[in-house]
Amino acid sequence: MRVRKSLVMLVYLLFVLVPIYWLVNMSFKSNREILGGLTLWPTTPTLDNYRVIFTEPTWYTSYLNSLSYVSMNMVISLMVALPAAYAFSRYRFLGDKHMFFWLLTNRMAPPAVFLLPFFQLYSAVGLFDTPIAVALAHCLFNVPLAVWILEGFMSSVPKEIDETAYIDGYTFPKFFVRIFLPMIRPGIGVTAFFCFMFSWVELLLARTLTSVDAKPIVSQMTRTVSASGIDWGVLAAAGVVALLPGIAVIYFVRNHVAKGFALGRV
Amino acid sequence: MKTYNNKAWWLVLPVFALVAFSAIIPMMTVVNYSIQDIFDPNTRYFVGTEWYREILADPRLLDSLLRQFVYSLCVLVIEVPLGIIVALSMPRRGLGVPVSLILLSLPLLVPWNVVGTIWQIIGREDIGLYGWILNSIGLDYNYASNPRDAWATVLIMDVWHWTSLVALLCYSGLRSIPDVYYQAARIDRASHWAVFRFIQLPKLKNVLLIAVMLRFMDSFMIYTEPFVLTGGGPGTATTFLSQTLTQMALGQFDLGRAAAFSLIYFLIILLVTWVFYTAMTHNDDKG
């Protein structure tokens, strides 16, 4: 039984890792080697593809653009979701259940539905082609998710803690920042991870709301087709570079991620 | 028990304002488009339900709707059982746990267009491992020209991309089962199947509902990955709803039809998710 389990796990991990290995493998090859035939590892490893990404301004600025709207989105989502999640986890109020479901419906809305209205809305308020526009647009699906996860984590903190703190003379803001937030730190970490993840990987809205100045890495990558065909090596290297922030983030939340995936509800 | 206090609205207000800005205003724009015929900002006619009637009779929409349902169904049928199996095979303690968790999460962190790119490369017969292997064992595999191969590739890509999410959800569900349950099962000499059926599965019910709901929602809105991989082709074999919609709205700038389409699309997702959500909160209330 033991052996069979490990075998299943190994096979699955292999299935997960082979395509990623292939990407890494290609990123160290020159285009001539890639198109020259199938090799399981780079025969003449080269860093040229990475050099292109880190020296050409269109590449590294698009990388920075992505990082900037993703971090803005993380901050905005957490700032608005924290108090709301507290309200949902501690109080009943007029229309609370409807409000909660309505928030969730925004997570369900296909971004394709919102493309055109978003384009017009952000053009009208003069935010088109800025990172903040993308950050706000991504709030559409990240804020409901953040509220949902945080509400789960907050509900597992006993209510007696709030009451004791109020008796001890804490005001709400002081209690919230000094006592409550440190208690749900793992939840905040996981929420930040999810916001990061869904904002980092999204292409459709990010591409529609930007053109030149705020172009994200994901849409820069769709433009590697030149006169000589697709530049596979650079594309692969860009893919690898785009993977790195995610790995860094997941390393920090690795111990809480399983709980977070269940949206704090286990 | 939660206390009833309407002041809690003040805490919800920022979320409400933000989401209202980024959801209600655009949604109203869509509704507006769907009932008018617009030539330019000054010439517009109220057309009522005409767009809706037209779109519901449009074979293109019905085709991609059917394709979408089949696809989402396939995704759920493959990913949910596979996710459970993977979760059951997770190591219980030691270094294996964080390592498997991180490796499992990797596909979730790949930007969606890169997912498409990865599979686009690996499926090619000249430079991709899988395409090369399949062709060298004599299968005539080509995702760009054969609809069946394109479907298989899009499905396997989705399995690769999202099964980890189901697995991680189930893993967190399994971890919440106290050891006493397993001890009791051992005393009763319960079979592996009985342990799974009567201890693990009931405990997984809630997370499985979340998993099914998320996977349904997300597979129903899939756009980027098949767009990069096959561009919706060959023909329209892998053109799903979002892509049909994007073509209509941005490609042909057919606003009225696209808007009516959007609302129908949204309503379908809403309806299905509402069913799952009700089932989920119903469970929450019970215990």
Side-chain angles (χ1 to χ4, degrees):
Chain A
M1 192 63 195
R2 252 269 163 64
V3 178
R4 208 175 71 198
K5 269 187 176 179
S6 323
L7 205 67
V8 171
M9 198 64 205
L10 275 180
V11 169
Y12 186 73
L13 285 181
L14 207 66
F15 170 64
V16 165
L17 290 180
V18 166
I20 292 179
Y21 168 73
W22 205 249
L23 188 76
V24 177
N25 176 16
M26 266 180 58
S27 72
F28 288 108
K29 290 178 179 175
S30 62
N31 272 322
R32 207 154 38 116
E33 192 186 339
I34 293 172
L35 295 173
L38 192 88
T39 43
L40 290 179
W41 51 85
T43 43
T44 44
T46 166
L47 286 173
D48 280 350
N49 299 321
Y50 289 96
R51 196 165 302 130
V52 171
I53 289 180
F54 288 109
T55 52
E56 261 182 38
T58 45
W59 276 108
Y60 65 77
T61 49
S62 70
Y63 196 67
L64 293 177
N65 284 335
S66 285
L67 280 177
S68 80
Y69 72 70
V70 169
S71 35
M72 270 190 239
N73 174 272
M74 260 161 68
V75 172
I76 299 173
S77 301
L78 278 175
M79 294 278 276
V80 297
L82 278 168
Y86 183 80
F88 284 120
S89 83
R90 290 296 192 258
Y91 301 110
R92 287 194 306 120
F93 49 91
L94 189 67
D96 53 353
K97 292 207 167 117
H98 299 288
M99 180 75 190
F100 200 71
F101 185 70
W102 175 69
L103 275 177
L104 279 183
T105 61
N106 292 300
R107 173 68 179 73
M108 301 160 200
V113 168
F114 285 99
L115 275 187
L116 207 60
F118 266 0
F119 177 75
Q120 291 175 326
L121 177 67
Y122 288 106
S123 305
V125 293
L127 286 175
F128 178 71
D129 204 13
T130 57
I132 188 79
V134 184
L136 283 175
H138 283 179
C139 281
L140 178 73
F141 47 82
N142 271 349
V143 164
L145 192 70
V147 172
W148 202 15
I149 301 176
L150 285 171
E151 197 263 340
F153 274 93
M154 287 178 178
S155 297
S156 64
V157 174
K159 218 178 165 228
E160 285 69 32
I161 293 185
D162 308 29
E163 281 152 11
T164 323
Y166 294 140
I167 293 169
D168 286 349
Y170 276 92
T171 56
F172 173 72
K174 222 171 155 189
F175 154 75
F176 197 67
V177 176
R178 291 261 186 86
I179 299 177
F180 197 68
L181 291 190
M183 289 189 67
I184 54 155
R185 248 195 354 233
I188 297 177
V190 168
T191 312
F193 165 75
F194 269 82
C195 291
F196 174 90
M197 174 177 127
F198 281 111
S199 179
W200 182 257
V201 296
E202 206 275 340
L203 167 78
L204 200 49
L205 288 175
R207 193 181 59 187
T208 311
L209 292 176
T210 56
S211 66
V212 183
D213 294 339
K215 187 160 67 175
I217 182 96
V218 280
S219 61
Q220 170 67 20
M221 285 183 66
T222 58
R223 284 166 213 182
T224 52
V225 187
S226 64
S228 54
I230 298 177
D231 195 343
W232 293 108
V234 173
L235 192 63
V240 173
V241 173
L243 252 172
L244 295 177
I247 296 176
V249 174
I250 200 157
Y251 179 77
F252 286 116
V253 294
R254 65 189 179 284
N255 293 326
H256 309 296
V257 90
K259 194 176 179 205
F261 273 108
L263 309 175
R265 230 154 266 275
V266 175
Chain B
M1 199 56 221
K2 296 179 187 176
T3 37
Y4 189 86
N5 186 347
N6 269 326
K7 276 192 200 149
W9 257 104
W10 289 109
L11 299 172
V12 184
L13 208 60
V15 163
F16 184 75
L18 182 70
V19 179
F21 174 73
S22 61
I24 296 181
I25 298 177
M27 198 46 111
M28 285 295 102
T29 323
V30 176
V31 172
N32 210 354
Y33 282 147
S34 75
I35 51 171
Q36 299 188 62
D37 195 354
I38 299 171
F39 292 100
D40 62 67
N42 301 317
T43 342
R44 49 179 69 199
Y45 301 101
F46 179 76
V47 293
T49 57
E50 196 186 308
W51 293 129
Y52 291 91
R53 268 180 282 142
E54 240 174 67
I55 202 80
L56 283 172
D58 186 350
R60 207 153 53 116
L61 170 87
L62 298 178
D63 268 5
S64 64
L65 188 66
L66 182 69
R67 208 174 291 132
Q68 183 74 67
F69 266 113
V70 173
Y71 177 73
S72 289
L73 198 72
C74 288
V75 161
L76 288 178
V77 166
I78 300 174
E79 289 179 16
V80 171
L82 185 62
I84 297 177
I85 292 172
V86 172
L88 287 171
S89 315
M90 279 285 285
R92 278 175 189 257
R93 54 186 72 82
L95 191 65
V97 180
V99 171
S100 330
L101 278 178
I102 291 179
L103 292 181
L104 273 184
S105 322
L106 272 181
L108 300 172
L109 294 160
V110 184
W112 295 347
N113 62 327
V114 181
V115 173
T117 310
I118 290 179
W119 285 88
Q120 191 187 17
I121 294 169
I122 207 162
R124 280 176 56 139
E125 55 176 52
D126 52 345
I127 60 172
L129 188 62
Y130 291 169
W132 182 80
I133 292 177
L134 285 174
N135 275 296
S136 56
I137 58 172
L139 290 172
D140 184 23
Y141 166 86
N142 187 336
Y143 67 79
S145 65
N146 183 333
R148 202 194 55 215
D149 294 348
W151 255 85
T153 316
V154 171
L155 258 178
I156 291 180
M157 176 172 68
D158 201 272
V159 170
W160 176 80
H161 192 183
W162 289 110
T163 304
S164 297
L165 182 75
V166 183
L168 289 165
L169 276 165
C170 293
Y171 171 68
S172 62
L174 287 175
R175 277 227 314 204
S176 71
I177 302 175
D179 267 344
V180 250
Y181 283 54
Y182 293 115
Q183 284 158 14
R186 215 167 311 143
I187 292 168
D188 289 345
R189 295 176 175 237
S191 65
H192 287 304
W193 171 251
V195 169
F196 175 70
R197 173 67 189 81
F198 296 107
I199 298 179
Q200 293 171 323
L201 200 58
K203 275 280 177 186
L204 284 181
K205 206 168 121 198
N206 262 334
V207 275
L208 277 179
L209 271 169
I210 301 178
V212 171
M213 189 166 111
L214 282 176
R215 280 316 301 135
F216 172 78
M217 267 153 46
D218 288 340
S219 67
F220 214 79
M221 323 176 196
I222 191 166
Y223 172 79
T224 314
E225 300 94 319
F227 177 72
V228 174
L229 182 74
T230 61
T236 54
T238 53
T239 308
F240 298 112
L241 280 175
S242 274
Q243 203 183 333
T244 314
L245 178 57
T246 320
Q247 273 166 9
M248 214 179 265
L250 297 181
Q252 301 152 0
F253 228 68
D254 201 346
L255 295 185
R257 264 191 214 94
F261 186 169
S262 300
L263 290 175
I264 295 170
Y265 188 3
F266 190 33
L267 278 179
I268 296 172
I269 299 194
L270 206 63
L271 201 73
V272 179
T273 319
W274 181 78
V275 173
F276 285 123
Y277 181 79
T278 316
M280 204 166 72
T281 43
H282 185 67
N283 280 341
D284 272 2
D285 288 345
K286 272 197 305 200

